């Protein structure tokens, strides 16, 4: 399913602007917006001032209404009180304005009444085609073009151009990111969507993915209002080679409550969000400093996933610390070629460490030409993908000289140099690195963490098919999606019938409605032992009402178990209906119990969870997750990233299990859901027994929940 996106170029770079609520009071919202646009921006288009109480402001003519402007502006910047906003937007829509930025707060973030007003804003969009940015937002900053459609008094100061695009909902954290300019991080475009009555973060990600001046996209998310649009935007960015780095607020109960009260955002499950991010190639970070650090490294190059790291430093202890952090992060130190070693020996003192990590010793501080040649040799080694360069101390002129050498080398080589300024004392060296575009970090750990994300994103690009699309984005007109299941709850028997038809093996079973039938069924099954379970579409937890008996090994025991189950269910199940009792062959070992669950998430569609089965899944949380559809390679990757993969391989003398059959079962379940995406709410097989190699898998218990109905369960 394709989700169309508007062309936002006339929002970001308008030819004409109407400032509605323009003011001659310098500290008012309208006054600050006017000052930012006329004094601190390089806006060369037409500017129309609108205020019904003024005929001129700051020597510029002013009209009472947008309707009085001869030519429809590309953009209206709305700085009026809340009770006047709707009428202004109506006028803008009638006049043919393309975009409106609404600064004003007091809408969806205040409660239901405010949300109803935002719905009226969306109605205006639907009627007129004008797009609305906000409300409750600080405006838009196109720093690369030196344009500030904002009332912030900080705009005049925070204007470092650069290749990073920033899309946020709230304004404060966005400003925090922009002010990373103090260490050289340039934010070229900042879109802060506020309450997202219409345009949302996904729209800005999609625009930035196609913007020539943006190479990296960073985003702060308090909620994702439209999951499919978000996925479409991120996939578009991935196809354009633009990495997206996201910080998602709302992982704890406290964070979720704060996010909802701040911008009335709907916050989804943290685990689901993280799984979806990984699928889309979105790099998830935990805090604003990580967002800045990771974006700054991603802006330095295009990772391949094969990068090996060189550590270069003038302190032996610091070099060892950095190398240790590299190893702990799962990264690999590069092995220098003979030519690199020869070049280092020609420059460095004999007592320097020539291998990786390189300790140049403090000699390079007094001989800057040595430091330049040695660093360049390391950067030009064919096995070096990135250089980590910690500066442990501020030593005045000598540190400044070393930093200047690093900047000079970076201008001559393609290998990214990532410096770390470890001292709290800033100086000339810090300034050299900042002004030279090397964007120093504050700790070795932070730098290595960002480098690890850089390399990991390269791996993701290498291993992900550019044609893969989530099931939630599939075309609903596809013939493969038209078959429907009955709109009814399913018993375990019915659920297993569906699984069997889909190619998943289930134990032999018979369902009976009296004790004599239980005797005959036991004899017919011919099994050493059977399990007996109540069959019901209404009873959710069978064991809670005495509806399960295991290890039944004779006809008399089967008859007795039938009567015991029925008596218990009638007594404890509160009159809930049941169809009978199922007798099912019990599977003989050895096997490993895993759980496979597919559940429809309201935001992102169907997501598969795989892990260790039984109660262990809740206890150890050893699971992996994938959006549907799942191919065979994706299924194998899903299995391999769990710890229980070791059990399946044959742990401590146990036989290796049938991982091929398990992977095939994941694909078969994915295909089943893909045939019924609007009907199946959930499938869970717990446990799915994985038998020894070439003996297959067997679904021992199954739940299938039909959308809008209660799930069947055991």
């Amino acid at each position: 399913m394709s989700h169309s996106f508007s062309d936002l170029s006339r929002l970001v770079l308008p030819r004409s602007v109407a400032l509605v609520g323009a003011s001659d009071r310098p500290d008012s919202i309208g006054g600050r917006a006017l000052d930012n646009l006329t004094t601190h921006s390089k806006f060369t288009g037409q500017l129309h001032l609108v205020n019904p109480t003024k005929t001129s402001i700051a020597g510029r003519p002013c009209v009472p209404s947008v309707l009085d402007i001869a030519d429809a502006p590309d953009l209206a910047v709305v700085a009026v009180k809340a009770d006047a906003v709707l009428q202004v937007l109506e006028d803008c829509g009638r006049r043919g304005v393309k975009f409106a930025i609404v600064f004003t707060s007091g809408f969806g973030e205040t409660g239901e009444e405010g949300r109803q007003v935002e719905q009226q804003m969306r109605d205006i969009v639907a009627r007129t085609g004008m797009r609305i940015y906000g409300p409750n937002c600080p405006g838009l900053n196109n720093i690369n073009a030196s344009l500030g459609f904002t009332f912030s008094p900080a705009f005049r100061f925070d204007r470092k151009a650069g290749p990073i695009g920033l899309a946020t909902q709230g304004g404060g954290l966005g400003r925090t990111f922009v002010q990373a300019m103090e260490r050289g991080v340039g934010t070229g475009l900042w879109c802060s969507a506020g309450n997202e009555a219409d345009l949302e973060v996904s729209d800005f990600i999609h625009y930035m993915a196609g913007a020539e001046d943006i190479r990296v996209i960073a985003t702060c998310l308090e909620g994702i209002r439209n999951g499919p649009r978000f996925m479409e935007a991120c996939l578009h960015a991935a196809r354009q080679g633009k990495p997206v780095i996201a910080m998602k607020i709302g992982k704890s109960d406290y964070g979720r409550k704060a996010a909802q009260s701040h911008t009335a955002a709907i916050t989804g499950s943290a685990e689901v969000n993280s799984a979806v991010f990984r699928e889309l190639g979105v790099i998830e970070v935990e805090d604003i400093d990580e967002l800045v650090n990771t974006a700054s490294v991603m802006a330095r190059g295009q990772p391949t996933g094969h990068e090996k790291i060189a550590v270069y430093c003038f302190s032996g202890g610091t070099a060892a610390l950095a190398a240790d952090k590299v190893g702990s992060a799962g990264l690999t130190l590069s092995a220098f070629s003979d030519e690199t070693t020869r070049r280092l020996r020609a420059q460095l003192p004999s007592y320097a460490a020539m291998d990786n990590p390189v300790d140049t010793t403090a000699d390079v501080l007094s001989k800057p030409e040595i430091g330049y040649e040695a660093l360049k040799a390391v950067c030009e080694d064919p096995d070096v993908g990135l250089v980590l360069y910690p500066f442990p101390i501020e030593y005045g002129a000598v540190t400044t000289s070393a930093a200047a050498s690093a900047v000079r080398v970076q201008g001559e080589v393609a290998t990214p140099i990532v410096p770390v300024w470890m001292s709290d004392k800033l100086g000339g060296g810090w300034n050299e690195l900042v002004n030279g575009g090397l964007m120093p970090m504050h700790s070795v750990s932070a730098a290595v963490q960002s480098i690890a994300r850089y390399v990991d994103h390269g791996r993701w690009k290498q291993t992900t098919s550019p044609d893969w699309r989530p099931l939630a984005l599939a075309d609903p007109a596809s013939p493969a999606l038209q078959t429907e299941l009955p709109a009814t709850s399913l018993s375990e028997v019915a659920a297993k019938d569906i699984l069997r038809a889909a190619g998943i093996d289930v134990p032999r079973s018979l369902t009976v409605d009296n004790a004599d039938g239980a005797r005959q069924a036991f004899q017919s099954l011919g099994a050493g032992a059977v399990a007996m379970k109540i069959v019901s579409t209404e009873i959710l937890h069978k064991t809670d009402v005495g509806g399960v008996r295991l290890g039944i090994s004779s006809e008399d025991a089967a008859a007795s178990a039938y009567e015991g189950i029925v008596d218990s269910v009638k007594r404890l199940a509160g009159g809930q209906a049941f169809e009978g009792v199922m007798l099912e062959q019990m599977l003989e070992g050895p096997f490993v119990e895993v759980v496979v669950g597919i559940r429809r998430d309201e935001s992102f569609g169907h997501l598969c969870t795989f892990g260790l089965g039984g109660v262990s899944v809740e206890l150890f949380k050893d699971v992996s997750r994938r959006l549907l559809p799942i191919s065979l390679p994706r299924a194998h990757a899903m299995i391999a990233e769990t710890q229980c993969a070791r059990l399946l391989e044959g742990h401590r003398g146990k036989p290796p299990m049938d991982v091929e059959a398990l992977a095939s079962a994941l694909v078969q379940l994915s295909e089943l859901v893909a045939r019924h995406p609007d009907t199946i709410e959930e499938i869970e097989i717990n446990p799915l027994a994985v038998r020894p190699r070439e003996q297959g898998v067997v679904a021992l218990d199954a739940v299938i929940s039909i959308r809008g109905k209660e799930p069947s369960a055991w």
Side-chain angles (χ1 to χ4, degrees):
M1 186 185 302
S2 178
H3 294 265
S4 61
F5 290 85
S6 295
D7 178 6
L8 303 187
S9 56
R10 292 303 172 204
L11 167 66
V12 173
L13 202 64
R15 296 163 298 188
S16 55
V17 175
L19 176 55
V20 186
S23 174
D24 52 11
R25 291 181 292 115
D27 289 333
S28 66
I29 299 294
R32 287 176 179 168
L34 178 59
D35 187 44
N36 281 334
L37 196 49
T38 56
T39 305
H40 306 295
S41 295
K42 295 178 181 177
F43 180 61
T44 58
Q46 289 183 301
L47 176 60
H48 306 278
L49 305 187
V50 179
N51 188 321
T53 68
K54 306 284 184 182
T55 57
S56 69
I57 296 174
R60 295 172 178 267
C62 186
V63 296
S65 167
V66 173
L67 298 173
D68 297 312
I69 300 173
D71 298 315
D74 288 335
L75 171 65
V77 178
V78 180
V80 300
K81 292 182 179 179
D83 58 5
V85 166
L86 277 180
Q87 186 59 55
V88 168
L89 292 176
E90 287 279 7
D91 292 346
C92 289
R94 284 176 56 196
R95 188 63 200 85
V97 172
K98 294 181 177 63
F99 298 94
I101 295 176
V102 183
F103 295 151
T104 318
S105 58
F107 298 101
E109 77 279 9
T110 65
E112 181 56 35
E113 188 175 342
R115 286 190 285 274
Q116 291 177 5
V117 178
E118 288 183 5
Q119 181 55 54
Q120 291 177 270
M121 293 180 188
R122 287 188 284 274
D123 293 342
I124 293 171
V125 170
R127 287 198 311 274
T128 68
M130 179 183 71
R131 304 306 304 270
I132 296 175
Y133 176 118
N136 185 30
C137 75
L140 184 151
N141 297 258
N142 184 348
I143 298 170
N144 282 348
S146 195
L147 293 176
F149 307 115
T150 175
F151 59 88
S152 172
F155 172 72
R156 68 189 70 178
F157 307 112
D158 300 341
R159 292 188 296 166
K160 180 173 178 56
I164 300 173
L166 177 63
T168 67
Q169 288 159 328
L173 288 174
R175 179 65 60 185
T176 303
F177 188 102
V178 170
Q179 290 182 343
M181 60 180 284
E182 290 300 308
R183 60 181 174 95
V185 180
T187 305
L189 176 63
W190 173 27
C191 298
S192 186
N195 287 10
E196 298 181 318
D198 175 29
L199 291 172
E200 56 193 69
V201 161
S202 301
D203 292 283
F204 308 130
I205 292 173
H206 190 275
Y207 170 80
M208 292 172 186
E212 292 183 1
D213 60 331
I214 299 300
R215 292 203 303 269
V216 176
I217 302 165
T219 181
C220 297
L221 299 165
E222 295 168 29
I224 298 171
R225 293 187 179 274
N226 186 318
R229 281 182 68 80
F230 178 79
M231 292 191 290
E232 193 80 75
C234 292
L235 287 172
H236 179 59
R239 288 191 293 269
Q240 301 301 313
K242 306 281 182 78
V244 178
I245 305 108
M247 182 181 74
K248 174 68 175 66
I249 300 167
K251 290 193 170 185
S252 70
D253 289 338
Y254 295 132
R256 281 191 290 272
K257 289 174 183 175
Q260 287 173 342
S261 64
H262 184 45
T263 59
I266 300 168
T267 305
S269 157
E271 292 81 9
V272 169
N273 284 328
S274 295
V276 170
F277 288 167
R278 286 192 297 272
E279 291 277 75
L280 301 174
V282 174
I283 305 163
E284 186 175 17
V285 299
E286 300 297 325
D287 209 339
I288 193 72
D289 61 324
E290 294 180 18
L291 187 68
V292 173
N293 289 340
T294 307
S296 71
V297 172
M298 296 304 302
R300 303 292 302 281
Q302 288 285 343
T304 65
H306 304 298
E307 286 82 5
K308 295 179 184 177
I309 314 303
V311 173
Y312 179 93
C313 188
F314 49 79
S315 158
T318 307
L321 169 68
D324 192 35
K325 295 296 183 184
V326 166
S328 296
L331 297 167
T332 305
L333 287 174
S334 30
F336 292 156
S337 68
D338 292 342
E339 172 62 14
T340 300
T341 303
R342 185 195 65 75
R343 291 173 66 183
L344 289 173
R345 283 180 179 149
Q347 294 296 328
L348 299 177
S350 59
Y351 48 87
M354 309 290 179
D355 294 326
N356 195 8
V358 177
D359 170 19
T360 66
T361 76
D363 274 21
V364 296
L365 297 179
S366 58
K367 300 173 184 176
E369 70 283 355
I370 293 177
Y372 163 77
E373 293 290 349
L375 178 58
K376 191 169 184 182
V378 170
C379 289
E380 291 179 341
D381 185 275
D383 200 42
V384 173
L386 188 145
V387 177
L388 176 62
Y389 188 170
F391 288 72
I393 48 180
E394 158 55 16
Y395 257 8
V398 290
T399 321
T400 301
S401 178
S405 289
V407 172
R408 180 184 169 195
V409 170
Q410 186 66 94
E412 298 170 357
V413 300
T415 306
I417 301 170
V418 178
V420 183
W421 191 269
M422 299 170 65
S423 175
D424 284 338
K425 187 175 181 180
L426 306 182
W430 166 269
N431 294 330
E432 285 284 345
L433 296 171
V434 168
N435 296 332
L438 267 63
M439 297 179 283
M441 298 191 194
H442 293 296
S443 76
V444 172
S445 293
V448 169
Q449 180 186 56
S450 299
I451 292 167
R453 287 171 171 152
Y454 178 88
V455 176
D456 188 60
H457 186 67
R459 291 195 197 104
W460 178 85
K461 291 196 299 182
Q462 295 291 325
T463 57
T464 302
S465 168
D467 300 325
W468 177 84
R469 287 171 62 79
L471 182 61
L473 299 181
D475 184 353
S478 170
L481 306 185
Q482 295 306 303
T483 310
E484 292 299 335
L485 294 173
T488 180
S489 296
L490 302 177
S491 68
E492 184 182 340
V493 173
K496 286 182 172 176
D497 285 344
I498 291 171
L499 293 180
R500 184 187 294 109
I504 308 294
D505 195 15
V506 299
R508 286 186 61 218
S509 67
L510 293 168
T511 301
V512 300
D513 59 7
N514 58 59
D516 284 342
R519 290 177 183 274
Q520 295 171 15
F522 180 88
Q523 187 177 39
S524 296
L525 288 172
V530 300
M532 295 179 64
K533 308 175 190 178
I534 199 72
V535 178
S536 172
T537 61
E538 297 182 13
I539 299 171
L540 189 60
H541 299 291
K542 297 182 177 75
T543 53
D544 292 351
V545 295
V548 178
R549 300 283 194 278
L550 302 177
I552 306 302
S553 56
S554 70
E555 294 178 25
D556 289 343
S560 177
Y562 177 90
E563 292 172 346
I565 288 172
V566 170
D567 288 346
S568 180
V569 169
K570 286 180 177 178
R571 188 174 69 256
L572 299 176
Q576 290 176 295
F578 59 89
E579 301 166 21
V581 174
M582 176 178 68
L583 286 79
E584 183 178 72
Q585 285 181 325
M586 292 189 71
L587 189 66
E588 295 183 359
F591 55 83
V592 172
E593 293 186 355
V594 299
V595 59
V596 179
I598 297 176
R599 185 175 180 85
R600 188 184 67 85
D601 180 78
E602 288 191 4
S603 295
F604 301 112
H606 288 90
L607 190 88
C608 181
T609 301
F610 165 79
L612 196 60
V615 297
S616 304
V617 67
E618 295 179 13
L619 182 61
F620 298 112
K621 295 182 171 58
D622 175 32
V623 298
S624 60
R625 296 180 175 89
R626 292 290 188 281
L627 284 166
L628 269 55
I630 298 173
S631 62
L632 203 55
R634 281 165 57 79
H636 277 290
M638 194 175 182
I639 296 164
E641 69 186 47
T642 62
Q643 292 299 314
C644 70
R646 297 173 63 191
L647 290 176
L648 296 169
E649 291 165 0
H651 185 60
R652 295 179 71 94
K654 298 291 178 64
M657 299 296 162
D658 200 340
V659 175
E660 288 295 331
L662 172 58
S664 295
L666 293 174
V667 174
Q668 289 165 321
L669 290 169
S670 172
E671 291 172 346
L672 171 61
V673 174
R675 290 192 294 272
H676 310 279
D678 297 326
T679 304
I680 295 177
E681 184 77 11
E682 180 180 10
I683 297 177
E684 182 170 294
I685 305 176
N686 187 14
L688 177 68
V690 186
R691 307 186 73 186
R693 191 172 290 167
E694 298 186 0
Q695 294 183 31
V697 298
V698 182
L700 300 185
D701 264 313
V703 173
I704 296 182
S705 171
I706 300 302
R707 192 167 180 181
K709 301 290 182 180
E710 292 296 321
S712 63
W714 56 98

